[in-house]
Amino acid sequence: MILELKSYGHLEMVGTLVSQLTKGCSPEEIRAAGLGDYYTDHGISVYPQSASGVPFNAMTLAVKGDPITDLTEDMAAEQKARSTYEYLIDLADDPDVINVLKFLREREVVHFQRFGEALRTVEEKLAERKFYMNNMNNTNNSCGCNEDKGNGTCNGGCSNPRR
Amino acid sequence: MIVDKSRCELLHEIMAVDFKLYDLQLYLDTHPFDEDALCMYQNLVNDADELTEEYEEKYGPLTPKSAAGNCEWKWIKNPWPWERG
């Protein structure tokens, strides 16, 4: 969910880029830029789809309910986004566009770092030695067992006989 | 809409501080006891509050919460983020 909120923020910035770049373009310019098909389907509105034209779909997201699995998934998503920004930078020639893409790429690196720290925190938590306090409320005997309830002794029959 | 330079500059400053806050927030989520970072965060909150107050006084609301004037909804008088001056 955090990842998605962040991605919506990025989507807004990239959408703004596209909106500003296409503002006032003639149909000829749009066609020459390879946006003819896009223009036919969506005009100059910003529509969430992949570079190859596949619309955004929730199937691209994964969640398993296991913190190790999900955080690792999040970290992979950050790296995929970083690669995508790098490919976009390869293709871009406008320095103002490249600057925005570089900023967004840097965010992916920082967020990967943060998710890595969260993963480490979870792993450390899971590796902690656990103490189970299950004799707290139902112990009757001084040795800690529950045998022969009532008289305060188990007559040495339990695994930790009264000394 | 023509956006004058000082408005742009002020908005840029606010965005820079807000961005620092956001990045520091992510850091604090995984380093909740880092005193230097906590102090830096609080200082930035104060900066952001001051700048926001200055901006809203001069140029109008930055969030809908401060958009309700006495007789006019001021939110829609601002240029949208994707509109350039």
Side-chain angles (χ1 to χ4, degrees), chain B residues 6-7 9 14 22 30-31 48 53 56 63 66 74 81-82:
Chain B
S6 59
R7 176 177 183 147
E9 280 170 352
I14 292 170
Y22 180 68
T30 48
H31 303 77
E53 196 182 335
E56 292 194 326
T63 68
S66 49
K74 293 192 254 171
W82 55 88

Side-chain angles (χ1 to χ4, degrees), chain A residues 87-158:
Chain A
Y87 298 154
L88 285 171
I89 289 167
D90 289 343
L91 295 170
D93 54 11
D94 183 330
D96 289 339
V97 170
I98 290 173
N99 273 340
V100 174
L101 294 172
K102 279 166 77 179
F103 171 85
L104 292 169
R105 176 196 172 277
E106 201 177 271
R107 295 300 93 214
E108 308 301 338
V109 176
V110 171
H111 296 158
F112 176 80
Q113 177 76 16
R114 294 284 100 89
F115 275 123
E117 287 162 357
L119 179 60
R120 195 193 59 213
T121 308
V122 169
E123 283 173 342
E124 281 170 3
K125 182 78 187 161
L126 290 175
E128 270 176 14
R129 196 172 165 198
K130 293 169 186 65
F131 296 93
Y132 296 101
M133 312 290 272
N134 56 359
N135 274 341
M136 288 277 284
N137 300 317
N138 56 1
T139 299
N140 294 306
N141 298 335
S142 53
C143 67
C145 85
N146 282 322
E147 281 180 46
D148 195 18
K149 284 180 187 176
N151 66 1
T153 172
C154 62
N155 302 318
C158 77

Side-chain angles (χ1 to χ4, degrees), chain A:
Chain A
M1 183 53 86
I2 293 166
L3 194 69
E4 278 322 289
L5 288 175
K6 183 210 93 177
S7 299
Y8 283 131
H10 285 202
L11 182 66
E12 190 179 328
M13 286 181 246
V14 173
T16 297
L17 260 187
V18 172
S19 173
Q20 288 177 348
L21 286 169
T22 53
K23 195 175 180 184
C25 283
S26 68
E28 288 73 27
E29 286 172 320
I30 287 171
R31 198 183 296 124
L35 288 170
D37 294 346
Y38 183 93
Y39 181 74
T40 307
D41 284 342
H42 311 292
I44 56 160
S45 288
V46 176
Y47 181 73
Q49 66 175 34
S50 74
S52 49
V54 181
F56 171 77
N57 188 308
M59 297 259 307
T60 59
L61 309 176
V63 62
K64 288 300 287 182
D66 175 319
I68 303 257
T69 312
D70 289 344
L71 284 166
T72 308
E73 169 79 26
D74 292 339
M75 291 171 75
E78 298 293 339
Q79 293 297 3
K80 284 182 275 183
R82 178 187 58 78
S83 304
T84 304
Y85 285 127
E86 285 173 13
Y87 298 154
L88 285 171
I89 289 167
D90 289 343
L91 295 170
D93 54 11
D94 183 330
D96 289 339
V97 170
I98 290 173
N99 273 340
V100 174
L101 294 172
K102 279 166 77 179
F103 171 85
L104 292 169
R105 176 196 172 277
E106 201 177 271
R107 295 300 93 214
E108 308 301 338
V109 176
V110 171
H111 296 158
F112 176 80
Q113 177 76 16
R114 294 284 100 89
F115 275 123
E117 287 162 357
L119 179 60
R120 195 193 59 213
T121 308
V122 169
E123 283 173 342
E124 281 170 3
K125 182 78 187 161
L126 290 175
E128 270 176 14
R129 196 172 165 198
K130 293 169 186 65
F131 296 93
Y132 296 101
M133 312 290 272
N134 56 359
N135 274 341
M136 288 277 284
N137 300 317
N138 56 1
T139 299
N140 294 306
N141 298 335
S142 53
C143 67
C145 85
N146 282 322
E147 281 180 46
D148 195 18
K149 284 180 187 176
N151 66 1
T153 172
C154 62
N155 302 318
C158 77
S159 56
N160 29 296
R162 208 172 159 189
R163 275 183 267 261

